[in-house]
């Protein structure tokens, strides 16, 4: 049964509980990973508390003390004095620990959890842990014995995701491969206890849905006016942990060696360079020389490549983490100002960029998330599949339209010749109220796509506005079944 103090995470909890309590014989290995502060350790400690087992948190320490500290945890599990148990290597340690868990010395399920495994993998003999687990799993397949479960966990996405790749030792041996992601925007608002949609939107735009940040905040804003007070006290305060969070996240990936180059790529993307070619242009480099850098940033979860749903064209790049986006857009360009404690000067200088470059793209992404997660078939005209964006070239109108929201029908393939499109949408976070002209633009885009053979005759036209709509547009939408107006209240509503 999921503990009451866990917010959301129904799927993740069920997956972990089912794995840990399975009666299948033999040794089974599972992975749980996710970026820093997503609540992995919190979840695993609750799991061990609920079902039993041994939980061990690895630390960043020398190999020998790390092995002996593990021995002390195992000794405590079997009830022997500290120092009475010693291991010569990790094969002996893991054989002993999994054997003890199988015997159920203290009751509960036969479970061993090793949290923050990447710390142990950084130096020998800890580097042998995946191979030892492979050997134990293979031995168990020949002679299953009683149930035994091992969950390994880590925050370094690059390290954890590599454990099951290619010819790595655990390839084909792990039964559970679970990534713990940040909360989506509605769950984040619930987690923070923020009821006001505008406040919740801006809070998510600067902190995202990472639950671990809540404990670092001096207060939870309840009104939009308090967002400035919050960011100046935390993200823009050199004395606060969140001021250097972006740099810390980047340092967690061992593949990031030239930090100046990686920061420059992130800054270019944050500043509007949405393709590898554009990033190369900003940095004065050939795009091919940036392929490895972009691959690292993508696999580490810092950058997302969004394919155009309708066209065969290069994917567009965006920053996945709001804290990093805030740092690259707001803090980094004015670093000296904030380090000199001239916070208000820096914040006033950043105000325009905060609205257009940070809140604008974030609102567009939330509009896509709303279609994907919350808008039902009655609103969308049917069940939707992939949700994304596209660029529509209107040769007759001599215009290029960037369409913020496109939803294909369930089962429709992206970039097909005649896709069945359920939704065409546009999202604006500006202070201007949306009017009939915005609807006319969507209708024109629908006509252009129809001329190309796309199935858009029944497509719903969705207009998203952070500020609202003029009365004339509201009246038009009221009399049309193919038009939906979505403001922040509706995006955060039931």
């Amino acid at each position: 049964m999921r503990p009451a103090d866990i917010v959301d995470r129904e799927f993740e909890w069920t997956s972990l509980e089912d794995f840990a309590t399975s009666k299948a014989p033999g040794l089974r290995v599972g992975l749980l990973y996710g970026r820093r502060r997503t609540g992995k350790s919190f979840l695993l400690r609750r799991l061990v508390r609920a079902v039993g087992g041994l939980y061990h948190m690895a630390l960043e320490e020398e190999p020998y003390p790390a092995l002996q500290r593990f021995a002390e945890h195992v000794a405590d599990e079997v009830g022997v004095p500290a120092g009475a148990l010693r291991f010569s290597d990790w094969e002996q340690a893991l054989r002993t620990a999994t054997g003890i868990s199988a015997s159920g010395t203290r009751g509960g399920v036969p479970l061993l959890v090793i949290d923050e495994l990447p710390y142990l993998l950084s130096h020998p003999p800890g580097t042998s842990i995946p191979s030892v687990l492979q050997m134990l799993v293979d031995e168990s397949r020949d002679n299953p014995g009683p149930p035994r479960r091992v969950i390994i966990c880590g925050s370094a996405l690059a390290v954890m995701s590599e454990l099951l790749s290619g010819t790595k030792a655990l390839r084909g041996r792990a039964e559970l491969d679970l990534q713990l992601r940040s909360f989506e925007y509605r769950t984040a608002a619930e987690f923070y206890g923020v009821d006001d949609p505008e406040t919740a939107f801006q809070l998510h735009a600067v902190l995202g849905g990472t639950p671990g940040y809540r404990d670092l905040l001096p207060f939870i804003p309840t009104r939009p006016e308090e967002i400035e007070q919050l960011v100046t006290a935390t993200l823009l305060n050199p004395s606060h942990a969140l001021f250097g969070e972006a740099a810390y996240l980047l340092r967690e990936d061992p593949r990031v060696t030239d930090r100046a180059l990686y920061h420059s790529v992130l800054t270019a993307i944050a500043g509007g360079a949405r393709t590898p070619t554009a990033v190369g242009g900003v940095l004065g480099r050939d795009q091919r020389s940036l392929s490895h850098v972009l691959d690292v940033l993508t696999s580490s979860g810092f950058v997302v490549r969004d394919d155009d749903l309708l066209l065969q064209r290069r994917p567009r790049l965006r920053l996945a983490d709001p804290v990093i986006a805030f740092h690259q857009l707001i803090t980094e360009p004015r670093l000296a100002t904030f380090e000199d404690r001239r916070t208000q000067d820096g914040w006033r200088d950043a105000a325009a960029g905060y609205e257009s470059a940070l809140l604008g793209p974030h609102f567009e992404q939330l509009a896509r998330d709303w279609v994907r997660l919350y808008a039902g078939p009655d609103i969308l005209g049917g069940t939707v599949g992939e949700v994304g964006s596209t660029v529509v070239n209107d040769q007759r109108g001599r215009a290029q339209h960037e369409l913020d929201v496109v939803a294909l029908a369930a089962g429709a393939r992206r970039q097909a010749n005649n896709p069945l499109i359920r939704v065409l949408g546009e999202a604006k976070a500006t202070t201007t109220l949306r009017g009939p002209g915005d609807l006319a633009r969507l209708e024109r885009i629908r006509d252009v796509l129809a001329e190309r053979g796309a199935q858009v005759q029944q497509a719903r036209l969705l207009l998203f506005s952070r500020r609202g709509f003029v009365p004339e547009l509201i009246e038009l939408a009221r009399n049309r079944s193919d038009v939906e107006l979505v403001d922040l209240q509706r995006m955060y509503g039931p």
Side-chain angles (χ1 to χ4, degrees):
M1 184 176 182
R2 188 168 63 97
D5 58 351
I6 295 179
V7 177
D8 196 50
R9 308 302 194 199
E10 287 90 350
F11 171 80
E12 292 86 352
W13 176 264
T14 300
S15 297
L16 289 169
E17 187 179 40
D18 288 349
F19 174 78
T21 59
S22 167
K23 301 300 183 183
L27 178 65
R28 309 291 175 97
V29 175
L31 270 72
L32 175 68
Y33 55 98
R35 59 149 289 182
R36 191 168 174 251
R37 303 189 195 275
T38 51
K40 302 179 301 298
S41 300
F42 180 87
L43 203 60
L44 290 173
R45 288 195 298 268
R46 295 303 181 279
L47 178 69
V48 170
R49 183 186 299 175
V51 304
L54 170 63
Y55 173 88
H56 176 76
M57 168 68 81
L59 301 178
E60 195 171 6
E61 57 187 340
E62 289 296 306
Y64 180 77
L67 183 59
Q68 298 316 315
R69 199 166 63 83
F70 182 77
E72 291 175 4
H73 277 191
V74 175
D76 180 66
E77 178 69 15
V78 296
V80 301
L85 190 61
R86 285 287 182 267
F87 297 134
S88 59
D89 54 34
W90 278 102
E91 179 182 349
Q92 183 186 23
L94 292 175
R95 281 189 183 278
T96 302
T98 55
I100 289 173
S101 70
S103 66
T105 304
R106 293 191 177 182
V109 302
L111 173 65
L112 168 65
V113 174
I114 302 179
D115 201 354
E116 289 303 347
L117 176 72
Y119 287 145
L120 301 178
L121 299 181
S122 58
H123 301 289
T127 51
S128 67
I129 290 177
S131 297
V132 171
L133 288 174
Q134 174 199 18
M135 177 179 64
L136 294 177
V137 169
D138 290 347
E139 289 178 0
S140 175
R141 288 176 176 176
D142 294 333
N143 183 21
R148 290 164 289 160
R149 302 292 176 260
V150 176
I151 297 177
I152 52 179
C153 176
S155 299
L157 292 183
V159 176
M160 296 300 296
S161 60
E162 282 289 311
L163 289 176
L164 304 183
S165 67
T167 58
K168 299 293 184 179
L170 289 177
R171 172 79 172 176
R173 271 79 177 184
E175 183 176 315
L176 179 71
D177 180 10
L178 182 61
Q179 181 174 0
L180 193 65
R181 303 182 186 276
S182 298
F183 291 144
E184 49 76 29
Y185 73 95
R186 278 194 184 181
T187 304
E190 176 191 350
F191 180 73
Y192 280 99
V194 178
D195 297 325
D196 177 69
E198 174 66 24
T199 306
F201 163 64
Q202 290 198 46
L203 185 63
H204 194 265
V206 298
L207 291 180
T210 304
Y213 291 149
R214 187 176 67 174
D215 293 337
L216 300 178
L217 303 185
F219 68 95
I220 304 299
T222 57
R223 298 179 293 113
E225 296 79 12
E226 295 176 338
I227 294 293
E228 176 181 347
Q229 181 184 349
L230 180 71
V231 298
T232 54
T234 56
L235 291 162
L236 301 179
N237 177 8
S239 301
H240 197 276
L242 286 176
F243 185 80
E245 180 73 359
Y248 188 94
L249 290 172
L250 204 59
R251 286 198 301 270
E252 280 193 323
D253 194 321
R255 299 172 298 175
V256 177
T257 52
D258 187 349
R259 292 197 180 94
L261 174 59
Y262 282 82
H263 275 291
S264 296
V265 171
L266 291 173
T267 301
I269 297 172
R274 295 289 187 257
T275 65
T277 302
V279 173
V282 172
L283 273 60
R285 287 173 171 256
D286 185 281
Q287 65 165 349
R288 288 172 295 183
S289 68
L290 298 175
S291 296
H292 175 70
V293 175
L294 289 173
D295 286 343
V296 169
L297 291 173
T298 302
S299 62
S300 297
F302 298 121
V303 172
V304 175
R305 300 177 191 254
D306 290 322
D307 288 326
D308 190 304
L309 283 194
L310 303 183
L311 298 177
Q312 294 278 355
R313 61 199 304 270
R314 290 188 183 279
R316 292 173 66 81
L317 306 172
R318 62 178 172 88
L319 298 185
D321 193 307
V323 167
I324 291 180
F326 186 93
H327 179 82
Q328 300 301 138
L329 281 167
I330 308 299
T331 312
E332 183 69 24
R334 305 163 188 85
L335 190 59
T337 302
F338 293 120
E339 288 180 338
D340 288 343
R341 312 282 178 172
R342 292 183 288 119
T343 307
Q344 292 303 322
D345 292 340
W347 180 245
R348 279 193 298 269
D349 182 60
Y354 173 73
E355 286 287 336
S356 62
L358 188 76
L359 297 186
H362 195 75
F363 184 73
E364 294 170 8
Q365 184 57 44
L366 259 58
R368 290 186 284 269
D369 290 343
W370 183 80
V371 170
R372 181 172 56 88
L373 298 172
Y374 296 114
D378 56 328
I379 295 173
L380 306 178
T383 306
V384 301
E386 290 196 83
V387 180
S389 60
T390 190
V391 174
V392 179
N393 292 312
D394 182 0
Q395 295 181 349
R396 191 171 60 185
R398 297 182 180 180
Q400 185 180 74
H401 305 285
E402 292 191 7
L403 200 56
D404 304 320
V405 183
V406 180
L408 304 180
R413 294 183 178 274
R414 65 170 63 182
Q415 300 167 354
N417 291 329
N418 57 343
L420 176 56
I421 299 175
R422 293 285 188 207
V423 172
L424 301 174
E426 198 168 58
K428 298 296 182 186
T430 60
T431 57
T432 305
L433 300 180
R434 300 294 99 195
D438 297 288
L439 178 57
R441 181 172 179 269
L442 271 184
E443 291 172 326
R444 174 58 189 162
I445 294 172
R446 181 179 60 185
D447 293 342
V448 173
L449 291 173
E451 292 169 3
R452 295 182 185 171
Q455 302 176 61
V456 293
Q457 291 77 11
Q458 303 300 318
R460 298 293 173 90
L461 305 180
L462 271 59
L463 286 170
F464 295 84
S465 175
R466 177 180 163 206
R467 299 302 185 191
F469 311 91
V470 300
E472 184 181 354
L473 179 58
I474 295 174
E475 185 62 27
L476 279 172
R478 186 177 292 122
N479 297 312
R480 290 181 54 171
S481 60
D482 64 333
V483 176
E484 295 284 346
L485 305 182
V486 187
D487 58 10
L488 275 175
Q489 189 70 46
R490 192 174 182 186
M491 291 171 72
Y492 276 91

